[in-house]
């Protein structure tokens, strides 16, 4: 009878370290998102077209100053919404329908680890979006100013708010309903969220209500900082923080894995 020295065979069976599992899942989520034609349309093509078209053609009266200075912050906000809300809601909704989430939930990767990986994928995609849109806006004559810290805080809270809303929709509605609702909300907020049309073009009562939406708070906050050089936009940060807390809490409470 032969004996085997412990440690002879490697790798040994068992789950990988938690950090490695999350990183691997995040890389997979990012690759799948970037390979999806519909997701690329939402996250890259539409924001880029809006930025170039509305900056070069006089379609909407954005007030004094260069049009790109008004549009660039709004399009950055739109990019965050398209990835963290619309794209994530649709992808997660269909993963839930096809049983992908159910199977992943039974793997060594804990459920919170899966959500962390999805959030990391969203952040990686947003970084790529923002870099691309920033370069295009600079080529169009954009002159950003203001505090980088304020911009980062707005983007992080905006991502958290939209991620919570996207996961809440994906975890409570059928996949087909999520697809329709997410795209409809995207279009409505594109028009009424201060992205390309200033809120002061709406009636006062409507503008006050629209100003409380997360896309309006994000686009207005970015515009205050990047266009006007304002300090920390606490009011807009407060609105985004309230949406983030409420949406993430609701997603955690009502999200269904099957």
């Amino acid at each position: 009878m032969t004996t085997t020295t412990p440690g002879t065979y490697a790798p040994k069976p068992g789950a990988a370290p938690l950090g490695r599992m999350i990183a691997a899942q995040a890389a997979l989520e990012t690759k799948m998102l970037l390979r999806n034609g519909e997701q690329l349309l939402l996250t890259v093509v539409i924001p880029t077209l809006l930025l170039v078209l509305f900056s070069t053609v006089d379609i909407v009266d954005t007030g004094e100053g260069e049009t790109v200075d008004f549009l660039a912050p709004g399009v950055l906000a739109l990019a965050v919404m398209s990835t963290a809300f619309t794209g994530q809601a649709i992808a997660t909704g269909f993963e839930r329908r096809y049983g992908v989430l159910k199977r992943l939930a039974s793997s060594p990767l804990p459920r919170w680890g899966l959500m962390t990986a999805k959030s990391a994928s969203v952040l990686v995609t947003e970084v790529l979006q923002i870099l691309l849109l920033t370069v295009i806006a600079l080529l169009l004559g954009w002159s950003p100013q203001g505090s980088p810290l304020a911009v980062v805080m707005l983007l992080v809270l905006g991502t958290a708010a939209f991620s919570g809303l996207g996961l809440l929709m994906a975890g409570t509605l059928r996949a087909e309903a999520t697809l329709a609702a997410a795209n409809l909300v995207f279009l409505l907020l594109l028009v009424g969220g201060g992205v390309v049309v200033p809120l002061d073009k709406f009636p006062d009562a409507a503008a006050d209500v629209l100003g409380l939406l997360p896309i309006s708070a994000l686009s207005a906050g970015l515009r205050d900082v990047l266009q006007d050089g304002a300090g920390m936009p606490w009011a807009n940060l407060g609105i985004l923080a309230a949406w983030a807390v409420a949406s993430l809490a609701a997603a955690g409470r009502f999200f269904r894995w099957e």
Side-chain angles (χ1 to χ4, degrees), residues 71 87 184:
L71 288 174
L184 177 61

Side-chain angles (χ1 to χ4, degrees), residues 56-162:
T56 55
V57 180
D58 188 13
I59 300 176
V60 179
D61 182 12
T62 58
E64 299 180 358
E66 295 292 334
T67 303
V68 69
D69 290 333
F70 173 87
L71 288 174
V75 172
L76 292 179
L78 180 68
V80 171
M81 182 180 71
S82 66
T83 300
F85 171 68
T86 312
Q88 184 168 217
I90 295 172
T92 306
F94 278 95
E95 287 176 354
R96 176 169 161 256
R97 175 190 174 182
Y98 295 134
V100 175
L101 294 184
K102 180 181 178 180
R103 289 171 174 79
L104 286 174
S106 64
S107 72
L109 180 65
R111 294 185 175 187
W112 67 264
L114 176 60
M115 293 296 104
T116 301
K118 286 184 172 294
S119 299
S121 171
V122 166
L123 290 174
V124 170
T125 306
E126 286 181 357
V127 169
L128 297 176
Q129 284 178 287
I130 291 170
L131 288 175
L132 174 63
L133 293 171
T134 298
V135 170
I136 294 174
L138 291 173
L139 292 175
L140 292 171
W142 184 34
S143 300
Q145 49 188 320
S147 167
L149 176 61
V151 172
V152 171
M153 289 183 65
L154 286 165
L155 293 175
V156 169
L157 284 176
T159 299
F162 285 119

Side-chain angles (χ1 to χ4, degrees), residues 5 15 26 51 125 232 253:
T5 304
L51 178 60
T125 306
M232 196 67 70
R253 172 66 177 83

Side-chain angles (χ1 to χ4, degrees), residues 109-241:
L109 180 65
R111 294 185 175 187
W112 67 264
L114 176 60
M115 293 296 104
T116 301
K118 286 184 172 294
S119 299
S121 171
V122 166
L123 290 174
V124 170
T125 306
E126 286 181 357
V127 169
L128 297 176
Q129 284 178 287
I130 291 170
L131 288 175
L132 174 63
L133 293 171
T134 298
V135 170
I136 294 174
L138 291 173
L139 292 175
L140 292 171
W142 184 34
S143 300
Q145 49 188 320
S147 167
L149 176 61
V151 172
V152 171
M153 289 183 65
L154 286 165
L155 293 175
V156 169
L157 284 176
T159 299
F162 285 119
S163 291
L165 292 171
L167 291 174
L168 176 62
M169 181 178 290
T172 55
L173 301 178
R174 293 178 56 192
E176 293 83 1
T178 297
L179 174 63
N183 282 314
L184 177 61
V185 170
F186 177 84
L187 292 175
L188 291 177
L189 295 184
L190 168 62
V191 176
V195 175
V196 295
V197 180
L199 290 182
D200 58 17
K201 302 298 181 183
F202 295 89
D204 292 341
D208 292 339
V209 174
L210 293 174
L212 297 176
L213 297 175
I215 184 64
S216 302
L218 181 56
S219 58
L222 289 173
R223 197 166 286 122
D224 287 344
V225 176
L226 294 172
Q227 182 179 11
D228 302 329
M232 196 67 70
W234 294 112
N236 294 306
L237 287 171
I239 293 173
L240 291 173

